[in-house]
Amino acid sequence: MSLLLVATVMAGCGSKEQRFVPKSLADLRGHTVAANSGTTQEKIARMVTEKENVQCLPGGLDALIALDAGQCDVALVERNNMFSDDFMRLDIEEAFTDSTTQEPLACALRKEDSALLQEYTAFFDSIQACGRLDEIKSRWLNPLKTNNLEKVVIRQKDVPTKGKRVLRLGSDGSYPPYDIMVNNEMTGYEVELWQRFAIERGYGLVCEVYTFDALLPALQSKKIDVIAAGMSVTPDREKMVLFTPADDYSVTTVLIRKANAGNDKPFYEKLQESFDRSLIQQDRWKMIVEGFWTTIWIFLGSLIIGVILGAFISYLQMSRRKLLSVTANCYIDLMRNIPILVLLLVMYYIILANSGLSAMMVAIIASAMNFGAYIAVMFTTGIRAVDPGQTEAGLALGYTPLQTFVYIVAPQAARHIIPVFQGEAISLLKGTSIVGYISIVDLTKASDLIRNASFEAFFPLIFVTIIYFVLAWMLSKSLDLLLKKISK
């Protein structure tokens, strides 16, 4: 038996797998390829390898992070993405660059904004003629300059937020060098062009963060006026939007892991550097703090409104009028059978699209509507669990119906309601993590932005995980104490 084990180990050592180093796109067939959703690189990945081998990641530079973590064989990225902070420290290297699949990159506007396009085109031509465009390109699109801090010459405070028209610029904030968060501010090559345009032409400019997939819906629903996110100009997109003059092209680079990946530094040294890059550099921890308070306000607003709405729906559900009870039951069935993310997107892009409400208010309303349906069921079930004789006894003692409910029925119903309420409230807290789809930088979205700016996934995700856990634990213990107090 021992001889067999030794023979197996030796055979394994002798048959060490050779490192995969592709020389062309055709070599990628049969290998796992990562690319970011909605990009030229995703299309290439789907063309050159099998469908099941394509890792289509949500945005930013997730493909780079996946490759660095060894989750895929190769990553396809836009070549300029490589020239950003911390790229050189990753355990990845360039295999080759394919220049046969170039696509122009540009900003996008709505079809009806042709006047704005003409004005921007005139501005673009003017800075090109005077050489200013070359200077901006030399900072952002220069492979020798990888420090984003040195590229920023216009700060957010220098850009007006009011003017003859306020332009809302949407980006995903994580696609360098075109749009990226630096010092917790939106910047980048395309963002700077629009900042200069706003300053010169007297416009206000407000930057909003969306996931890349949500940018086109946000533009079409008039949530934003401009997309500045290194968007490829394709025939399908040209049917939907207007594109600004294209002065850069998407060139696909194929990246692989280095031969000695993970063997250069001690673990604790890597951990310390990761912490510094994730949270200390550029004061990135502030994004976590801001995201924390955003999450708290959305949760509290949804909780309060949801409880009030749930109590009202429960009242209707228990009404003796059939029309009211049927309406309440239909509402409950509707809310309980629609995924909360779908409800959020429908409210934001369709029902409340032209309401003028902020994204945070829409998130609170959508979450409260969903939470209220579950609260209504809890209230109705809890109240009906109380013996009807308790109500009769209260009335016999001279209490009014309201007093009977408040002093006799409600405390007994609470014993049935709070244990279930506890779980739903925790679910509501965790459910706030989806609000990043509608331009809200909450805890989860803050971790995404940090991850794509620093190429570090460990600490941003671990910190957010711990914060959610502590919040949920505190909420659970608070409701436990309330239940004990009511049970006395």
Side-chain angles (χ1 to χ4, degrees):
M1 189 69 177
S2 299
L3 291 175
L4 180 62
L5 179 62
V6 171
T8 303
V9 172
M10 292 182 65
C13 293
S15 60
K16 186 176 181 181
E17 185 178 350
Q18 187 176 4
R19 189 168 76 108
F20 173 58
V21 182
K23 301 297 183 182
S24 67
L25 292 177
D27 295 340
L28 302 185
R29 181 163 296 279
H31 293 272
T32 306
V33 181
N36 294 321
S37 174
T39 62
T40 302
Q41 288 69 42
E42 182 199 351
K43 291 197 304 182
I44 295 173
R46 295 190 182 281
M47 288 190 298
V48 299
T49 192
E50 296 81 1
K51 180 180 178 181
E52 60 272 14
N53 288 335
V54 177
Q55 291 186 3
C56 183
L57 301 171
L61 298 179
D62 287 339
L64 287 177
I65 298 172
L67 178 62
D68 188 49
Q71 296 171 347
C72 56
D73 297 325
V74 298
L76 303 185
V77 300
E78 206 284 313
R79 181 164 175 75
N80 280 332
N81 293 157
M82 299 164 56
F83 312 132
S84 183
D85 293 353
D86 295 323
F87 175 81
M88 300 304 295
R89 64 153 187 87
L90 296 177
D91 286 330
I92 59 180
E93 62 185 1
E94 181 180 347
F96 66 91
T97 293
D98 180 78
S99 57
T100 63
T101 54
Q102 293 186 18
E103 283 186 343
L105 301 175
C107 300
L109 291 77
R110 285 191 299 276
K111 280 287 188 180
E112 61 267 29
D113 251 341
S114 56
L116 179 63
L117 176 61
Q118 291 177 358
E119 191 173 358
Y120 178 83
T121 303
F123 159 79
F124 184 86
D125 292 341
S126 67
I127 63 172
Q128 189 174 39
C130 71
R132 177 61 59 82
L133 183 63
D134 291 335
E135 184 273 324
I136 299 172
K137 280 186 172 182
S138 69
R139 278 187 285 112
W140 289 108
L141 308 181
N142 189 337
L144 299 179
K145 293 185 177 181
T146 59
N147 187 349
N148 285 329
L149 282 171
E150 296 176 353
K151 300 176 183 179
V152 180
V153 297
I154 297 181
R155 298 293 304 276
Q156 194 168 298
K157 60 181 177 61
D158 301 325
V159 183
T161 55
K162 296 181 180 179
K164 59 184 182 181
R165 176 183 172 184
V166 178
L167 298 175
R168 293 160 298 175
L169 183 145
S171 74
D172 66 353
S174 55
Y175 199 67
Y178 306 101
D179 64 298
I180 189 173
M181 299 292 287
V182 177
N183 276 339
N184 304 325
E185 295 182 2
M186 184 69 69
T187 187
Y189 171 65
E190 291 184 347
V191 175
E192 182 178 330
L193 290 178
W194 281 96
Q195 288 174 331
R196 291 182 179 277
F197 171 75
I199 293 172
E200 180 178 307
R201 300 301 171 104
Y203 287 102
L205 186 70
V206 177
C207 295
E208 298 183 359
V209 181
Y210 288 80
T211 59
F212 186 83
D213 289 342
L215 286 170
L216 281 173
L219 182 70
Q220 292 176 318
S221 62
K222 300 185 179 180
K223 294 293 184 182
I224 57 176
D225 304 298
V226 180
I227 297 176
M231 181 166 283
S232 300
V233 180
T234 65
D236 288 339
R237 287 175 178 167
E238 285 183 308
K239 296 175 183 178
M240 301 166 58
V241 300
L242 297 174
F243 280 105
T244 59
D247 62 320
D248 194 25
Y249 290 85
S250 173
V251 180
T252 299
T253 293
V254 178
L255 300 173
I256 58 176
R257 282 173 62 80
K258 294 178 180 177
N260 61 343
N263 299 323
D264 53 341
K265 291 181 180 179
F267 173 75
Y268 290 108
E269 185 177 342
K270 285 185 175 182
L271 204 63
Q272 184 177 2
E273 290 181 358
S274 175
F275 180 83
D276 182 66
R277 281 190 293 266
S278 300
L279 300 171
I280 305 304
Q281 289 182 12
Q282 300 183 24
D283 292 332
R284 287 175 177 144
W285 60 270
K286 291 181 179 179
M287 295 179 65
I288 296 291
V289 174
E290 293 173 3
F292 169 81
W293 287 113
T294 299
T295 295
I296 290 296
W297 288 121
I298 292 175
F299 168 69
L300 290 177
S302 303
L303 184 73
I304 295 170
I305 297 175
V307 169
I308 296 172
L309 177 62
F312 176 69
I313 297 298
S314 176
Y315 173 77
L316 297 181
Q317 191 179 27
M318 292 187 292
S319 173
R320 294 179 180 179
R321 298 182 179 180
K322 190 172 182 180
L323 178 61
L324 296 181
S325 62
V326 168
T327 302
N329 286 324
C330 288
Y331 175 85
I332 291 170
D333 288 340
L334 181 65
M335 290 297 108
R336 293 174 70 181
N337 290 289
I338 297 178
I340 180 60
L341 177 57
V342 174
L343 176 63
L344 178 67
L345 296 178
V346 168
M347 295 296 293
Y348 186 71
Y349 289 116
I350 301 176
I351 297 177
L352 298 177
N354 299 315
S355 64
L357 294 174
S358 66
M360 184 175 290
M361 276 305 305
V362 173
I364 290 173
I365 292 171
S367 298
M369 288 173 63
N370 179 268
F371 185 59
Y374 291 92
I375 291 296
V377 174
M378 279 185 273
F379 282 0
T380 301
T381 304
I383 292 170
R384 286 176 175 170
V386 178
D387 191 332
Q390 298 290 315
T391 302
E392 295 172 2
L395 294 174
L397 290 172
Y399 286 109
T400 65
L402 180 59
Q403 290 173 326
T404 301
F405 178 80
V406 172
Y407 295 114
I408 298 176
V409 177
Q412 296 182 65
R415 296 174 187 175
H416 302 283
I417 294 171
I418 290 179
V420 184
F421 179 86
Q422 187 179 61
E424 292 300 334
I426 291 173
S427 295
L428 173 65
L429 173 64
K430 294 186 292 185
T432 61
S433 60
I434 65 170
V435 298
Y437 280 87
I438 60 167
S439 140
I440 299 175
V441 182
D442 67 319
L443 267 174
T444 304
K445 187 62 178 179
S447 73
D448 289 343
L449 294 173
I450 293 173
R451 188 173 74 250
N452 285 295
S454 64
F455 299 108
E456 293 287 352
F458 182 79
F459 280 107
L461 292 176
I462 288 297
F463 264 71
V464 168
T465 301
I466 292 172
I467 292 172
Y468 274 118
F469 172 79
V470 171
L471 288 174
W473 180 83
M474 291 173 62
L475 178 61
S476 177
K477 292 303 178 183
S478 299
L479 291 173
D480 282 342
L481 291 173
L482 178 61
L483 181 60
K484 289 180 180 178
K485 187 173 181 180
I486 290 175
S487 300
K488 288 181 179 179

